[in-house]
Amino acid sequence: MTPLVIIFSYLSLLIVLGLVSNMRSRGTSEDYMLASHTIGPVLLLMSLFGTTMTAFALVGSTGKSYQIGIGVYGLMASSSGIVHSLCFFLIGVKIWKLGRKHGYSTQIQFFRDRLESDKIGLLLFPILVGLIIPYLLIGVLGGGATIAAVTQGDIPSWGGSLLICVVVLIYVFLGGMRGTAWANAFQTAVFMILGVVTFFVIAEGIGSKESLLENLQAATAQVVERHPEKLTRAHVPPLFFLSFMLIPLSAGTFPHLFQHWLTARSANTFKLPIVVHPIFIMIVWVPCVLLGTWATSAVGADGKLLIDPETLKSENQVLGILVAKLSGDVLTGLLTAGVLAAIMSSLDSQFLCIGTMFTEDIAVHYGGTGRFSDKQTVVMARGFIVAIVIVTFLISTVSPAGVFTMAIWCFSGFAALVPLALAALYWKRLTKAGAYASVSVAAASWIYCFWQSDFAADARYNLFGMLPVATMVAASTIALIAVSLVTKPPGEETLARFFPGAAAPRAES
Amino acid sequence: MKYLVWILIAILVVLHQDVWNWTDGRLLFGFMPLGLAYHVVLSISAALVWWLAVMYAWPLDEDSDAAAGDAAAK
């Protein structure tokens, strides 16, 4: 009962936060979608970090470490520390500048202008929304699994999923981007602090020794005894590991990160997030990876494994089971709130961004500027968000894939679009046809690989010993370059807008 | 300095593929697997390299930063 009271109190607090930010709102659609570009460095750091760390970071990393051991940190965490900051540095800062200069609030608006193509939105919109849905699923499934594990089934997974969807919808609707940024900052602090507390509490529960160091040593000693290979990367083939470096590239094209970038007060606001992001990742991932690895071998007072692999339904439940078995009721409630905080701090941005994309890129663009009032725009955004959340929730009730596997597929799709984003910002010779070719090849290769992997059921599916993302990124890059070089370069006016001071490229034909 | 920063970022990417630690199961302080400790150090190194990047290889100048903000404010 106590954990439930704490969880519901925490969820109520988020709704209050949404109400407070609603009172600070300027009432315009720009304020609702971009917080009127007022977000400073600390809030940007917290919201970018909170947005990129979802169920994948806490629930997924613990579950995957349970399966393959400590290699998970190198696969996703240290690589993200390098590559996410690279994306913020190379793409985010430039996008902020162009977004502020030309008034963009979505990726599609930028690509329409840069590529001189009104129709590119019709190709990109379904792809971006289609890739966001599995990303939403990661949060919805992770949240449901955590609540179900902690309440030992009193609240079923679907009930937990529904609960967090409703709470996030309420505070996003009330607070818009400002409320989302505030909630992200608050929730990021909550899950970082409680994540570390969880680690120490579970270490004590497993070790049962006097000092912290003795507990850590005792927990690892059990792994040395039962699964020493989990303390190495024996379960991770080198080429597979290498190709994982491409997965965090996806941060360069996440639509919700694009929207967060545009909320920054100035370009200098990015400096703090770029530097501190790798450290924040380390603070969250190291404890989770150790917990997942310990869970493979940890035994309780009765001498039985804390997590019985024979009865474990999904690796998503590993963290929830550890928390439920090794902490008191109050801590269980708090720690569950921390896990939910990580999940919801991504869901909120994703909900908001799909609403923004629908209104800006479809309704307002094709319906006509000035046709809808600010109030109507916000209502449309909310309607579309609810529709997507319902679809996501329904899929979550039948989805069999683990959080980690689903995340990899979702991130692979976004990573395959990064060559286009980079070329749009740095290569004057990129043409409209080259962009269409790149996006089409990225989509086709993703669909083919997803189908070949039995729709993500085969978690070991690879191409040439590497993750399919390597093939997708290579194919979309080749298509982009080859087609751009044989088609007509963009006009001088467009190049002057996006590359001021640079000479126009010469046409090949 | 700009080139040095990019060289350091490339070195980080190479160091990330630490094949020499692949099956090394030794522990630091009796609990921390060596392969994990190595990547923790790599994360801290990444933060230091990104600090150098924002200090010495920032992609925008202050004028363009201000200009973008001014344009949007009009």
Side-chain angles (χ1 to χ4, degrees), chain A residues 73-74 78-79 82 85-86 89 93 96-97 100 216-217 220 231-233 236 238 241-242 245 267-268 275 278 282 286, chain B residues 6 16-18 22-23 25 29-31 33 36 39-40 43 47 50-51 53-54 57-60 62 64-65 68-69 72:
Chain A
Y73 188 87
S78 53
S79 57
I82 301 168
S85 289
L86 180 71
F89 188 81
V93 175
W96 177 87
K97 183 186 167 189
R100 290 285 273 153
L216 299 175
Q217 290 171 340
T220 303
L231 299 170
T232 70
R233 265 180 279 162
V236 189
F241 187 83
L242 172 69
M245 196 81 183
N268 285 334
V275 175
M282 181 187 76
V286 170
Chain B
W6 284 110
H16 182 266
Q17 311 301 316
D18 57 327
W22 218 265
T23 53
F29 310 112
F31 81 93
L36 181 57
H39 278 269
V40 167
S43 294
W50 285 118
W51 177 77
V54 300
W58 191 239
L60 302 180
E62 295 297 326
S64 67
D65 187 356

